[in-house]
Amino acid sequence: MGNASETFLFVSKISKDSDFLMGTIYIIFGVLSILGNGILLFVAYRKKSSLKPAEFFVVNLAISDLGMTISLFPLAIPSAFTHVWLFNKTVCTGYAFCGVLFGLCSLTNLTVLSSVCWLKVCCPNYGSKFSYCHACLLVAGVWCYSGVFAVGPLSGWGEYGAEPYGTACCIKWDAPSQNSAAMSYILCLFFFCYIVPCTIIFLSYTFILVTVRGSRQTVQQHMSPQNKITNAHTLIIKLSVAVCIGFLTAWSPYAIVAMWAAFGNPTNVPPIAFALAAIFAKSSTLYNPIVYLVFKPNFRRSLCRDVAQCRRTLCGCQHSSAQKGTCNQSLHKEECNATRLSNGLPENHGTCRHCPCPEAVTGTRESFTEYSPQQTCRILKGSKHCEVAVSQLSNEIQSDFL
């Protein structure tokens, strides 16, 4: 491990019980993260031909979270259980580089995703023009943006080193007291990778909630009370709140502790504070897939269809031909239920299935893409198809956003 001073840096500075608890938590996080992100990527692969441009960011988020899990947890877990960093300084630098790269990629990805959602919901004129090419360019931009800050310490702008609690590595937060380059790096990191993303995410989802609230009021005015279409709006609100809470919960503790060490007296920061903050930050690897699997009907429906298909196959292998009919009928019913939107309405395939005159509303999305539900209702005011138009537009918002 090198000289005595270097060895001291790589020895745990928290109790063995705390290290054992941290290692156990990391094992749980690692298993859940691999399962959650693996399922998310599997669903995305199965529906790759129907992925929307905005969903590219959900896939990219799963890739970055999975990358963090695979590159960090196998090193952090044994080090925590043995109460000492088990690897040399080169591995420590690689660990820190991967942590910064994948962590910032997840942060930036959430920020870009919130901006795209704002564009599609609040500015449909421009949001409708968002294409696969735009999504690919933004995904590449996310990795480049994260790479700049990850490569910085390797080129002398900032510095990587052991975490204050000793069994992991990251940016040396006490470096600003030693040189101005490290101070400028941490200032830029804090501003461009925490303050700016927080602001963009908060404002994006605030504007989305305001827009959804106005749309919901219009729906309530023009549609029958028993219609469940407003549940789509409720789902959007829940997703918005969940993403914001998840972002702040995962990254705020680490940002606060890091700034305390960088611009205060590092010796006054308890090592256990950094250890707890690191646990919160790594929890984002399992929180993000849970949020999108729970609140994103498109992904959830695809997963339900795959599960139903697997059960149909197993059922067909285990039952006789006479029993197959009953089994397939039951599973067909289950699969049909799985394709229903979370608001209780069947998934639309071109036209409304329950409209008395489906041909009258065919192409509603194409005709009114540039209008909000409020504007569409004003255009169709007095028409029996106003309810259908608002319903389809609400479903379209849900489909694009969720």
Side-chain angles (χ1 to χ4, degrees), residues 228-356:
K228 304 299 183 182
I229 193 65
T230 53
N231 285 357
H233 300 153
T234 303
L235 198 62
I236 293 174
I237 292 173
K238 289 180 179 179
L239 177 61
S240 303
V241 173
V243 170
C244 291
I245 291 177
F247 180 92
L248 294 174
T249 301
W251 296 106
S252 292
Y254 201 94
I256 293 172
V257 174
M259 291 303 101
W260 181 11
F263 302 105
N265 187 350
T267 59
N268 292 336
V269 184
I272 191 65
F274 266 103
L276 293 174
I279 290 175
F280 278 103
K282 289 181 174 65
S283 70
S284 65
T285 60
L286 61 96
Y287 183 85
N288 291 328
I290 290 175
V291 167
Y292 285 99
L293 283 173
V294 169
F295 291 105
K296 201 171 192 312
N298 284 344
F299 279 74
R300 194 168 64 247
R301 289 198 305 272
S302 296
L303 181 60
C304 289
R305 283 196 293 266
D306 291 336
V307 171
Q309 184 177 357
C310 291
R311 291 181 61 185
R312 183 191 299 113
T313 302
L314 293 175
C315 188
C317 293
Q318 296 174 357
H319 293 75
S320 64
S321 57
Q323 293 172 316
K324 282 183 182 179
T326 304
C327 176
N328 288 339
Q329 182 179 4
S330 174
L331 286 171
H332 176 70
K333 181 178 179 181
E334 180 181 352
E335 184 173 359
C336 289
N337 290 334
T339 62
R340 296 175 70 88
L341 291 173
S342 62
N343 57 13
L345 294 177
E347 185 177 9
N348 291 320
H349 296 280
T351 60
C352 178
R353 298 179 183 175
H354 304 292
C355 296

Side-chain angles (χ1 to χ4, degrees), residues 103-250:
L104 293 185
C105 184
S106 296
L107 285 171
T108 310
N109 204 80
L110 285 172
T111 306
V112 175
L113 179 59
S114 69
S115 301
V116 172
C117 291
W118 166 79
L119 185 69
K120 295 182 76 64
V121 174
C122 302
C123 306
N125 286 339
Y126 300 99
S128 60
K129 300 175 184 177
F130 188 78
S131 66
Y132 292 98
C133 181
H134 297 142
C136 291
L137 288 175
L138 284 176
V139 167
V142 166
W143 285 99
C144 291
Y145 187 86
S146 306
V148 168
F149 288 96
V151 172
L154 299 179
S155 60
W157 186 40
E159 186 178 349
Y160 287 137
E163 286 268 27
Y165 56 90
T167 55
C169 301
C170 195
I171 298 164
K172 287 192 68 174
W173 299 110
D174 58 348
S177 61
Q178 303 170 10
N179 62 79
S180 57
M183 177 175 289
S184 67
Y185 173 78
I186 290 179
L187 282 174
C188 290
L189 187 71
F190 181 68
F191 181 77
F192 291 106
C193 298
Y194 180 75
I195 298 297
V196 171
C198 270
T199 304
I200 293 176
I201 289 175
F202 179 78
L203 291 179
S204 295
Y205 286 118
T206 298
F207 288 131
I208 287 170
L209 294 180
V210 171
T211 302
V212 167
R213 182 181 180 184
S215 174
R216 182 175 184 175
Q217 290 174 349
T218 301
V219 169
Q220 290 174 341
Q221 290 173 3
H222 293 277
M223 300 179 68
S224 56
Q226 67 270 20
N227 199 303
K228 304 299 183 182
I229 193 65
T230 53
N231 285 357
H233 300 153
T234 303
L235 198 62
I236 293 174
I237 292 173
K238 289 180 179 179
L239 177 61
S240 303
V241 173
V243 170
C244 291
I245 291 177
F247 180 92
L248 294 174
T249 301

Side-chain angles (χ1 to χ4, degrees), residues 35 57 78 153 202-203 275 277 301 366 393 397:
L35 287 176
F57 301 104
F202 179 78
L203 291 179
R301 289 198 305 272
E366 287 76 9
L393 283 171
I397 287 177

